[in-house]
Amino acid sequence: MTMPSWKKYVVPSALFLLCALAQAAAPDSSLAARLAAFDGWVASRMAMERMPGMTIGFTRGDVEWVQGYGYADLENQVPATAVSSYRLASVTKPMTAVAILQLVEQGKVDLDAPVQTYVPYFPVKPFPITVRLLLGHLAGIDAYRDHKTEQHFKEHKTTRESITVFEYFDLIAEPGTRYRYTSYGYNLLGAVIENATGESYGGYMQRHVWGPLGMTATMMDDPAAVIAHRVRGYGLEGRELKNSEFVDVSSRFSAGGTRSTVPDMLAFGKGIHDGKLLSPASLALMQESMVTRAGRLSDYGMGWETYPTGGRYVISHSGQQPETATYLFSFPSRKLTIAVASNLERVNTAAFAERLFEVVTGEAWELKPYIAHANAQLYGQLAKGLFDEGRAQLEKTGQPYTGDPAVTQLAFDQINLQALKQDDARAASLFIAAARHPAGGRVLLTAGSSMAARLRQAGFDLDQYANSGPLAFVRDYIVLSQAAPAGGTPRFDPAFEQAMLKLGASWDRTAAVAWPAQPSSVAQLSKQLETAFRDQLVYPDFMAEINELAQTSSGRGDSVQALALARLAVALYPLSDRAQALHGILLMSAGDSAASIAALRLALDRDPQGAASATALNNAAYRLKAGGAVAAGTALLQAAIQLHPDVANLHDTLGSFYVEQGLRAQAVQAYQQALRLDPAYPGADGARAVIARLNNAH
């Protein structure tokens, strides 16, 4: 049989294999050319990330494209292909959520019933745990506590044994009050499916979810089974690739215990778009963010992350576990799904999916303008909130959030009074952050979607703002509102309007400046960007690119270039917490502790919840350790504790770093301090177990 010209196999030296399902249409010639150019970007990115193999693809309407890059098995030089079989990890969760909602539609499960209705052996807790709250990670169920045990099971576990792992954990919060992402909650949902149907989880999924969508390569991960095209998993120790540790993921069965291919992931996304598995009402419920009792969005619906990005309506889910990293993006109103899977642990697969989105749609994933004046940074925050919430609402429903002019006017009045005429900049920023939540009246959604609807009515193409961004969106609305009859269109504060017109004009001059494809040197890069951005009010934020280049330089041992890039970041973006934090982290890696802490303090002052927050520095320390810089990671944790002395988790992480270095006494002290600060912090039980193990080792 002769293959169509758009299907091709290239020998492993070119590091890719293109394959697509026979019934899918081919990309048109223009898209095919862009996809060919995408190959070069992927090869460069994979080399930088030290990725062995990856498969990525999309489906839009009747067009489907899937391609493998690199190797599914390095040792035997087996290429990654469209049919390579990867662990799905947490991309399993939206599939489990679909199964639960099917059973709700059939009357076999009640979303608001206590979980013990279906899993009677699960211990009753001080507060009722409902199926609905489990779906949204709002049930108070904790995640892993003793990581050294719970994330390294070698033996197969039954459903009952999987529940036993965590069934006596205390709740971390009253259900409904706190979002806590946890695979254990989704294990309980798997048990609900089994007890409500009398079938095994895998059996039900094959008959009612995977099978109806033709997902023939999707199955429970079984280390003993012979599975066609199974990839071998890898991790990085420093810059050296190692075979992944074997972990039996049956303990995560309905939360992350499956294996599949990218075409099957795409089939699942298409099945969601086409309504093949659930009613429209259930689909809407699944894709709507849940809300805490305090009225805050969790940005997670039922099995899907729901945060609007770049002003577009998108749902997604990532997956990370030994042997794999996955991501599934769904754009329901566009009938577009993008899926990616890699056999390298902890790699940023989202970056590949985002780039493919740009190739397929011609839209920027997310524009990030940097505003160079502190007193105008608040305006950028407001513009982004209005754009993200407003344009996404129009893309999702085609209509503004409310048709009541009085409610819309009230939203504008609140923005004007509490953000734009507020003397306290921190209070204004907090108002804007809260204004997207129900407790804040959904002010940004109300005003932003009204703006989008009025622009569309006036003939503006809302799609254009993907490539011009929030500043252009707000600027165009201001121009439109100023030309409208008095009282007919809600207006912003005049000072804000004037500032936004100036910012918009500056953005028109700088937005087209692109990050160079092949920066030849830091000096040349500095000259190019500083010249382009000199005396401008706003210009593109290339912090992600600078950070990536700096981390790559640091990873290969070029600390001089890494620090030079960090200094460039601070020179271009002095008001950015990310720039100051990058400088601080790289100074710590270079051994300059005092300068590092000073830079981190600046970052913390820029944004207390940003790149120098306790969580961000904790994650940065783990990245240093993963790159082989355990000592630098330890020093960074010690600095983080100076900045955040009362955060138990930092002391806990420091304890784990000390354990890895054989410093038992220091490890015990760190864990004990974590427990003194918070005896019930999420890792408390694990800390007690480690302390007992270390004390018994003497």
Side-chain angles (χ1 to χ4, degrees):
M1 174 178 169
T2 302
M3 296 178 68
S5 60
W6 62 276
K7 293 183 179 180
K8 56 184 177 180
Y9 174 81
V10 180
V11 294
S13 61
L15 294 184
F16 68 84
L17 171 70
L18 173 62
C19 180
L21 301 182
Q23 66 269 29
D28 61 33
S29 58
S30 174
L31 177 54
R34 299 199 302 273
L35 290 168
F38 177 64
D39 291 339
W41 182 89
V42 169
S44 175
R45 179 85 187 202
M46 287 181 68
M48 181 182 72
E49 299 275 9
R50 300 277 294 153
M51 289 175 64
M54 180 188 76
T55 303
I56 189 169
F58 76 89
T59 178
R60 182 172 61 173
D62 294 329
V63 175
E64 182 161 339
W65 175 92
V66 184
Q67 184 160 311
Y69 296 86
Y71 292 100
D73 181 339
L74 274 176
E75 291 172 326
N76 297 295
Q77 299 285 281
V78 178
T81 72
V83 293
S84 292
S85 177
Y86 299 83
R87 283 181 167 178
L88 281 185
S90 289
V91 173
T92 305
K93 289 182 174 72
M95 300 178 187
T96 297
V98 165
I100 289 289
L101 288 171
Q102 285 180 335
L103 296 175
V104 170
E105 291 182 355
Q106 296 165 23
K108 295 179 179 179
V109 169
D110 180 348
L111 283 175
D112 296 311
V115 68
Q116 289 83 4
T117 305
Y118 311 102
V119 191
Y121 56 78
F122 186 71
V124 174
K125 302 296 180 181
F127 305 96
I129 295 171
T130 66
V131 174
R132 183 190 302 272
L133 294 176
L134 285 169
L135 283 164
H137 300 290
L138 290 174
I141 300 291
D142 205 356
Y144 304 115
R145 292 189 171 181
D146 184 355
H147 292 262
K148 287 190 175 295
T149 300
E150 296 168 49
Q151 291 189 309
H152 301 275
F153 290 126
K154 309 298 182 192
E155 70 282 356
H156 178 81
K157 289 190 180 295
T158 64
T159 297
R160 184 68 186 90
E161 290 167 341
S162 298
I163 304 300
T164 298
V165 172
F166 66 95
E167 63 183 356
Y168 289 108
F169 285 4
D170 292 334
L171 297 182
I172 60 169
E174 183 179 347
T177 63
R178 175 181 168 188
Y179 175 81
R180 168 65 162 164
Y181 182 84
T182 167
S183 287
Y184 289 149
Y186 266 71
N187 275 357
L188 268 176
L189 292 171
V192 169
I193 292 168
E194 292 189 340
N195 291 347
T197 64
E199 296 185 66
S200 69
Y201 170 79
Y204 179 89
M205 299 299 287
Q206 289 284 5
R207 281 171 26 88
H208 299 281
V209 179
W210 303 332
L213 296 181
M215 297 168 62
T216 57
T218 307
M219 65 196 74
M220 303 307 295
D221 188 61
D222 182 351
V226 176
I227 297 176
H229 311 293
R230 185 200 295 262
V231 304
R232 182 186 291 274
Y234 300 91
L236 279 170
E237 289 186 9
R239 297 289 293 170
E240 186 177 359
L241 282 166
K242 298 285 188 180
N243 286 313
S244 294
E245 173 194 3
F246 168 70
V247 175
D248 189 307
V249 293
S250 57
S251 64
R252 318 171 191 190
F253 70 112
S254 52
T258 58
R259 181 175 288 276
S260 189
T261 63
V262 165
D264 273 20
M265 293 168 70
L266 296 174
F268 177 71
K270 185 172 175 57
I272 293 291
H273 298 162
D274 294 344
K276 292 182 178 179
L277 297 173
L278 294 171
S279 69
S282 293
L283 285 172
L285 190 64
M286 170 183 263
Q287 296 169 21
E288 192 70 28
S289 171
M290 288 199 182
V291 181
T292 67
R293 194 177 303 166
R296 292 190 64 83
L297 298 167
S298 66
D299 296 321
Y300 195 100
M302 296 183 176
W304 294 99
E305 298 159 355
T306 59
Y307 189 79
T309 301
R312 64 180 62 88
Y313 168 40
V314 56
I315 56 176
S316 62
H317 214 292
S318 61
Q320 294 274 356
Q321 68 182 205
E323 302 185 20
T324 197
T326 56
Y327 228 120
L328 179 63
F329 285 94
S330 170
F331 305 85
S333 60
R334 299 163 179 247
K335 305 297 183 186
L336 170 65
T337 301
I338 296 175
V340 57
S342 173
N343 57 349
L344 178 64
E345 301 167 10
R346 300 188 180 278
V347 72
N348 178 18
T349 49
F352 294 90
E354 291 164 10
R355 184 58 174 255
L356 181 57
F357 174 88
E358 293 178 336
V359 168
V360 172
T361 65
E363 297 180 7
W365 175 255
E366 184 176 22
L367 294 175
K368 297 178 180 178
Y370 172 80
I371 297 176
H373 292 269
N375 59 0
Q377 293 245 312
L378 186 75
Y379 297 164
Q381 180 188 359
L382 176 59
K384 183 179 187 307
L386 291 166
F387 174 66
D388 281 350
E389 297 287 335
R391 181 171 175 263
Q393 170 71 14
L394 265 288
E395 185 169 293
K396 181 178 181 179
T397 69
Q399 301 297 325
Y401 182 61
T402 177
D404 187 336
V407 174
T408 301
Q409 184 61 57
L410 178 61
F412 277 82
D413 291 343
Q414 288 177 286
I415 291 170
N416 287 332
L417 290 172
Q418 298 188 53
L420 302 179
K421 293 183 179 179
Q422 170 68 255
D423 293 332
D424 184 339
R426 181 64 58 86
S429 179
L430 290 174
F431 166 79
I432 295 169
R436 65 178 297 263
H437 297 281
R442 301 306 302 265
V443 167
L444 296 181
L445 176 60
T446 301
S449 63
S450 170
M451 294 164 64
R454 288 176 185 273
L455 285 167
R456 183 185 62 184
Q457 186 178 19
F460 287 81
D461 179 3
L462 295 181
D463 289 344
Q464 72 174 325
Y465 294 111
N467 292 325
S468 57
L471 297 179
F473 173 80
V474 175
R475 184 266 313 277
D476 289 350
Y477 175 81
I478 288 170
V479 172
L480 181 68
S481 67
Q482 289 178 340
T489 302
R491 293 280 300 272
F492 288 110
D493 175 71
F496 173 70
E497 291 187 347
Q498 286 298 107
M500 288 302 300
L501 293 177
K502 291 178 181 178
L503 289 172
S506 180
W507 181 242
D508 288 343
R509 292 189 290 270
T510 63
V513 177
W515 178 259
Q518 296 286 337
S520 58
S521 69
V522 178
Q524 183 183 19
L525 185 63
S526 299
K527 182 179 180 180
Q528 178 181 347
L529 296 181
E530 288 175 349
T531 300
F533 300 157
R534 186 174 295 121
D535 299 326
Q536 292 299 322
L537 298 173
V538 59
Y539 43 84
D541 185 339
F542 292 132
M543 268 307 304
E545 290 83 356
I546 292 174
N547 181 71
E548 185 177 281
L549 200 55
Q551 298 295 349
T552 300
S553 299
S554 180
R556 64 170 180 256
D558 191 346
S559 59
V560 173
Q561 177 164 298
L563 267 175
L565 285 160
R567 294 189 187 102
L568 171 61
V570 171
L572 289 174
Y573 309 113
L575 299 175
S576 166
D577 64 297
R578 293 176 298 153
Q580 301 291 350
L582 174 65
H583 193 206
I585 291 166
L586 290 173
L587 284 167
M588 187 64 74
S589 297
D592 193 342
S593 177
S596 169
I597 292 173
L600 293 173
R601 285 192 189 281
L602 277 175
L604 193 61
D605 183 61
R606 299 285 187 268
D607 184 355
Q609 305 303 318
S613 67
T615 299
L617 292 179
N618 190 69
N619 292 339
Y622 272 114
R623 287 195 297 271
L624 286 171
K625 182 168 75 73
V630 180
T634 303
L636 182 61
L637 283 170
Q638 292 166 339
I641 286 170
Q642 287 190 49
L643 298 174
H644 308 281
D646 298 329
V647 177
N649 189 56
L650 288 173
H651 295 272
D652 181 281
T653 303
L654 182 60
S656 71
F657 277 44
Y658 283 143
V659 168
E660 189 158 322
Q661 296 170 78
L663 302 172
R664 290 187 295 186
Q666 292 94 323
V668 169
Q669 289 177 357
Y671 282 122
Q672 287 174 338
Q673 178 61 15
L675 292 167
R676 279 192 289 270
L677 288 168
D678 184 359
Y681 78 95
D685 288 348
R688 294 185 183 97
V690 176
I691 290 170
R693 187 162 61 240
L694 292 173
N695 286 335
N696 290 334
H698 283 287

